């Protein structure tokens, strides 16, 4: 009981200390405002350099001005003799550099401060990195220096000065003017421990980005991944388009939609679960090569690889099939990895994946035979499929057909083995309602999924363009929905009308951008590559 009381007293004391620190910050702001120095009235600040740009420019100039000049060799000398020689060498080098000073104006957030009487060292951080500041009373003036000493970690400042290298070798800015741009009224997490509470990191991503440089790097890479995909597809003659997010019929994938109500029309609508059906309408319209990168919404659970809203890229190309889509996918994944990472070798956890080699291609039937030891060519009826599933302890539902059970075998026995890039082709028709049948075997369709690291990375078809067949597939989906499959598609009459107008032979692909970002940034969970993932509200 005594220990519990002591813990409670410590927590209460800590909260009191925090409240006092927050109170002091607000008092500092009030003092500034009363003195006519309110930082929040400042509307702009002219920045000439970012931190890493300033350091890089200095290093380039240093290499030019000090070319051929090696640092003094004091090896073997006693420290009392070495010290003055190092100092003299530093001062000579410094004098050469100061003769051509690099003047900079940098803005950033104070991440640390060390007050040392008449001079102080500080560190500020901007979007590119951080740099040390040397701020002295003689350098900026007595009154401004007194004000600077009152600034807090977290405050945003602008500094003007010139770049130099300290005697310890750190590139820094010798400041001659400081401007307080924003007063931080909250306390940043303690520097060396950072922001480690995972839930808090996701809820306060802004703090996470400030405190954890690797998080910022992840999202910089995410942005580059998306821009690189656009660059690749634009170079292949694709046109980026936008299609509706609010739809009457959410089709194109097996998923439960979110539902909403549009007051102006007094109609119930759904958030899209896919981009497919509208993009195919554009192929009918003659655009031939289209793609869209956008959010889709699926009313499903949360786990390390699923978020109810996520970013999908879908593309459709007329006059090709799923073989053409395999070639495009392989080339695009290789290109994106090279552009973003500088290599086609991807390291994720304990696995190393090589995108520089040709991707393996295997049918779903052959994959199940290879890893489960079951030859589906010998499974002739639904009863045969149920019997082998019972023997192998693969769970299925009454509504599942033979092809559904084949897919269950694939998920149970195969997926985890597909570490290297692998195209799994020719899926059963039961799980592919929008895909063209294989002419030689109509129980299967011209569809593939790309697997890496045991994950499905994309889904692609030779698109079904027969409107009569498509209506029959929709009818089968409606029957599955009536039997309890809440993820089944519903008949889309306008889409069927578009197919009756006529859609050319077409290949299509859907890529989950978030999962690709996870792979290329070695991120353990999808929430680590979403700036603001879905979280349960705090009550």
């Amino acid at each position: 009981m005594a220990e519990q009381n002591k813990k409670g007293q410590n927590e209460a004391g800590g909260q009191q200390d925090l409240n006092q620190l927050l109170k002091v910050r607000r008092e500092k702001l009030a003092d500034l405002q009363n003195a006519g120095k309110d930082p929040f009235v400042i509307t702009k600040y002219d920045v000439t350099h970012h931190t890493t740009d300033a350091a890089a420019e200095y290093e380039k100039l240093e290499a030019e001005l000090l070319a051929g000049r090696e640092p003094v060799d004091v090896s073997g000398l006693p420290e009392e003799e070495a010290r003055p020689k190092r100092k003299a060498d530093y001062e000579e080098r410094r004098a050469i550099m100061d003769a051509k000073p690099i003047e900079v104006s940098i803005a950033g957030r104070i991440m640390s401060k060390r007050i040392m009487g008449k001079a102080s060292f500080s560190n500020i951080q901007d979007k590119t990195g951080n740099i040390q500041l040397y701020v002295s009373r003689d350098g900026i003036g007595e009154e401004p220096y007194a004000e600077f000493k009152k600034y807090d970690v977290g405050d945003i400042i602008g500094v003007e000065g010139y770049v130099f290298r300290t005697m310890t070798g750190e590139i820094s800015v010798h400041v001659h003017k400081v401007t307080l741009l924003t007063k931080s009224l909250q306390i940043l997490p303690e520097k060396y421990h950072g922001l480690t509470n995972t839930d808090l990191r996701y809820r306060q991503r802004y703090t996470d980005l400030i405190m954890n440089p690797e998080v910022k790097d992840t999202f910089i890479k995410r942005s580059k991944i998306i821009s690189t995909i656009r660059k690749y597809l634009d170079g292949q003659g694709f046109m980026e388009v936008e299609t509706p997010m609010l739809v009457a019929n959410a089709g194109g994938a097996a998923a439960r939609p979110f539902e909403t109500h549009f007051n102006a029309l007094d109609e119930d609508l759904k958030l899209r679960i896919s981009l497919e059906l509208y993009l195919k309408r554009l192929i009918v319209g003659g655009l031939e090569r289209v793609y869209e990168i956008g959010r889709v919404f699926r009313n499903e659970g949360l786990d390390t690889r699923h978020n109810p809203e996520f970013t999908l890229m879908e593309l459709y190309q007329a006059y090709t099939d799923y073989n053409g889509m395999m070639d495009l996918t392989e080339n695009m994944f290789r290109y994106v990895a090279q552009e973003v990472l500088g290599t086609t070798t991807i390291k994720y956890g304990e696995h190393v994946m090589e995108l520089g080699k040709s991707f393996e291609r295997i049918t779903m039937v052959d994959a199940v035979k290879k890893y489960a030891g079951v030859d589906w060519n010998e499974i002739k009826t639904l009863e045969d499929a149920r019997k082998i599933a019972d023997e192998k302890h693969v769970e299925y539902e009454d509504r599942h057909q033979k092809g559904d059970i084949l897919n269950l075998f694939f998920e149970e026995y195969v997926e985890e083995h597909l570490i290297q890039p692998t195209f799994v082709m020719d899926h059963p028709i039961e799980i592919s309602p929008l895909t063209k049948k294989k002419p030689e075997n109509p129980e299967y369709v011209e569809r593939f999924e790309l697997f890496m690291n045991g994950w499905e990375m994309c889904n692609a078809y030779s698109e079904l363009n027969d409107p009569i067949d498509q209506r029959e597939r929709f009818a089968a989906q409606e029957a599955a929905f009536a039997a309890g499959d809440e993820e089944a598609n519903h008949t889309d009459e306008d889409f069927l009308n578009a197919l009756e107008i006529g859609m050319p032979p077409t290949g299509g692909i859907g890529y989950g951008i978030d999962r690709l970002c996870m792979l290329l940034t070695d991120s353990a969970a999808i929430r680590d590559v979403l700036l603001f993932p879905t979280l349960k509200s705090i009550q």
Side-chain angles (χ1 to χ4, degrees), residues 215-247:
V215 173
K216 183 184 291 184
D217 181 63
T218 290
F219 289 104
I220 290 172
K221 283 181 179 174
R222 179 189 172 100
S223 178
K224 188 171 183 180
I225 288 166
I226 294 173
S227 66
T228 303
I229 290 172
R230 283 192 168 99
K231 180 180 177 182
Y232 179 81
L233 293 178
D234 292 346
Q236 297 296 312
F238 284 84
M239 181 174 74
E240 185 173 11
V241 298
E242 294 175 308
T243 60
M245 289 189 180
L246 288 172
V247 295

Side-chain angles (χ1 to χ4, degrees), residues 244-438:
M245 289 189 180
L246 288 172
V247 295
N249 186 349
R256 291 176 58 192
F258 287 95
E259 299 181 356
T260 187
H261 185 77
F262 184 22
N263 293 334
L265 297 180
D266 192 24
E267 287 186 358
D268 290 333
L269 295 175
K270 300 176 178 65
L271 296 179
R272 66 185 181 185
I273 61 172
S274 170
L275 313 175
E276 180 169 347
L277 301 187
Y278 279 97
L279 291 176
K280 285 182 178 177
R281 286 168 167 90
L282 300 180
I283 296 293
V284 171
L287 295 186
E288 292 194 3
R289 295 191 183 200
V290 294
Y291 75 95
E292 181 174 6
I293 297 175
R295 286 287 176 125
V296 297
F297 309 86
R298 298 183 182 180
N299 200 345
E300 59 190 13
L302 296 165
D303 61 33
T304 57
R305 281 185 280 160
H306 294 88
N307 194 72
E309 56 174 316
F310 61 97
T311 303
L312 187 63
M313 191 285 289
E314 289 196 32
L315 67 83
Y316 293 86
Q317 178 180 339
Y319 310 114
T320 190
D321 62 2
Y322 76 146
N323 291 299
M325 294 295 96
M326 275 186 264
D327 293 340
L328 187 149
T329 297
E330 183 170 334
N331 291 332
M332 193 188 79
F333 269 63
R334 188 175 294 130
Y335 176 81
V336 171
Q338 185 65 50
E339 288 293 305
V340 175
L341 302 180
T343 177
T344 57
T345 301
I346 298 175
K347 296 179 181 179
Y348 185 90
E350 61 184 11
H351 296 139
V352 176
M353 289 152 277
E354 181 51 66
L355 275 65
K357 301 177 181 178
S358 295
F359 295 6
E360 181 183 358
R361 302 185 182 194
I362 188 171
T363 67
M364 183 177 284
V365 169
D366 286 344
V368 168
K369 183 177 180 180
K370 179 178 180 180
Y371 292 104
V374 176
D375 186 352
W376 214 257
N377 291 318
E378 302 298 321
I379 306 299
K380 302 300 183 182
T381 65
L382 175 59
E383 289 69 28
D384 292 339
R386 288 175 173 172
K387 180 180 178 182
I388 193 66
D390 291 337
E391 292 175 1
K392 294 286 189 175
H393 307 291
V394 174
E395 296 183 3
Y396 58 89
E397 299 177 20
D398 290 340
R399 62 183 175 83
H400 284 146
Q401 300 299 308
K402 188 175 79 166
D404 295 304
I405 296 175
L406 169 60
N407 187 55
L408 293 173
F409 267 82
F410 175 79
E411 292 174 350
E412 179 72 23
Y413 285 97
V414 181
E415 286 188 2
E416 64 180 316
H417 298 288
L418 304 180
I419 305 302
Q420 296 303 318
T422 304
F423 292 118
V424 177
M425 309 178 298
D426 302 349
H427 296 214
I429 192 170
E430 291 90 340
I431 63 169
S432 310
L434 299 166
T435 314
K436 186 170 286 191
K437 296 174 185 175
K438 292 185 68 64

Side-chain angles (χ1 to χ4, degrees), residues 122 126 274 324 338 356 390 434 454 517-518 523 526:
S122 182
D126 64 10
S274 170
Q338 185 65 50
D390 291 337
L434 299 166
C517 291
M518 287 176 64
S523 297
I526 192 171

Side-chain angles (χ1 to χ4, degrees), residues 62-176:
E62 189 178 51
E64 295 173 1
L65 297 182
L66 302 181
R69 181 187 176 93
E70 296 295 330
V72 63
D73 184 7
V74 295
S75 57
L77 294 178
E79 181 58 25
E80 60 271 16
E81 295 181 27
R83 189 183 304 112
K85 288 183 178 293
R86 283 197 301 264
K87 183 178 179 181
D89 180 62
Y90 168 75
E91 289 175 347
E92 288 179 16
R93 297 164 69 89
R94 173 79 184 269
I96 295 171
M97 295 301 298
D98 286 354
K100 294 186 67 174
I102 298 173
E103 296 286 342
V104 297
S105 175
I106 297 175
R109 188 182 300 275
I110 298 175
M111 299 303 293
S112 66
K113 270 179 65 182
R114 286 180 289 132
I115 304 297
M116 302 165 62
K118 297 180 181 180
S120 301
F121 285 96
S122 182
N123 186 282
I124 65 167
Q125 174 177 288
D126 64 10
K127 74 170 187 176
T128 65
N130 59 76
I131 197 165
Q132 181 173 264
L133 307 178
Y134 173 73
V135 186
S136 67
R137 186 181 66 182
D138 293 341
I140 66 173
E142 187 169 346
E143 184 178 344
Y145 185 66
E147 293 175 354
F148 172 78
K149 290 197 294 184
K150 294 179 181 179
Y151 294 168
D152 293 302
V153 170
D155 289 351
I156 298 174
I157 61 173
V159 298
E160 297 175 26
Y162 65 91
V163 186
F164 75 107
R165 190 184 290 276
T166 66
M167 195 167 178
T168 60
E170 184 167 358
I171 295 177
S172 308
V173 176
H174 193 294
V175 178
H176 53 70

